[in-house]
Amino acid sequence: MSAEPSVMPRSLRVVRIAVTVMAAVFAAVLAGGVLELLPPDVGYTVGGKAVSRGEWLRLAAPIFATSAAWFGAAAVGLWTRKPWARFPIIAAFGTVCGFALAGLALGTFPRDLALRAVIQAAVMGALSDVYLYHTPVARYFDALRHPR
């Protein structure tokens, strides 16, 4: 990071590109499923169990839609240098945890899939929190929030 705190750190520039790509991928897969552009017989699975495209979409569409929205908001915030841009990244992982726990409680997600999703999302959310709020990257966002 340069001496000037308002200059975006190089590592955050990489994150900005990754978040933009994730938003686009989630949106593209969701759109492909909703518009029935995804092939009907490519071997869709949920928790290792074969399911139809419709069943896969029923389970995956809400997660893909909210992930696309959160990562899309984060991408917009990062590209336009907004101080709130880091919140949607953390919220995306929290939302995945929420969906997985709700699916487990309702019996719509296999237990191993739900637990794996909770663990992975919690770990990624924690790592993202450390990176965005407790490293020199946080100074960049603080400088955006409190310009001199």
Side-chain angles (χ1 to χ4, degrees):
M1 186 168 145
S2 75
E4 178 63 37
S6 62
V7 173
M8 183 179 281
R10 182 173 291 157
S11 65
L12 191 57
R13 290 183 214 151
V14 173
V15 169
R16 177 175 63 181
I17 293 167
V19 165
T20 303
V21 169
M22 287 190 308
V25 168
F26 282 126
V29 171
L30 178 66
V34 169
L35 299 174
E36 296 188 4
L37 300 175
L38 295 177
D41 56 356
V42 295
Y44 296 97
T45 62
V46 173
K49 178 182 154 200
V51 295
S52 68
R53 177 180 60 192
E55 180 68 9
W56 181 84
L57 195 56
R58 185 182 68 77
L59 294 172
I63 295 169
F64 276 73
T66 56
S67 294
W70 282 125
F71 285 122
V76 168
L78 289 169
W79 284 100
T80 59
R81 299 177 184 267
K82 302 296 184 201
W84 51 260
R86 56 190 166 172
F87 172 78
I89 296 170
I90 305 299
F93 295 115
T95 302
V96 170
C97 285
F99 273 117
L101 292 172
L104 180 62
L106 296 172
T108 56
F109 286 178
R111 182 175 182 192
D112 60 331
L113 174 66
L115 293 177
R116 187 175 66 218
V118 167
I119 291 167
Q120 288 174 342
V123 167
M124 288 303 298
L127 291 173
S128 297
D129 177 77
V130 168
Y131 173 73
L132 294 169
Y133 289 92
H134 306 287
T135 66
V137 169
R139 286 197 303 261
Y140 166 76
F141 285 106
D142 291 341
L144 292 178
R145 185 178 315 204
H146 306 290
R148 293 182 183 191

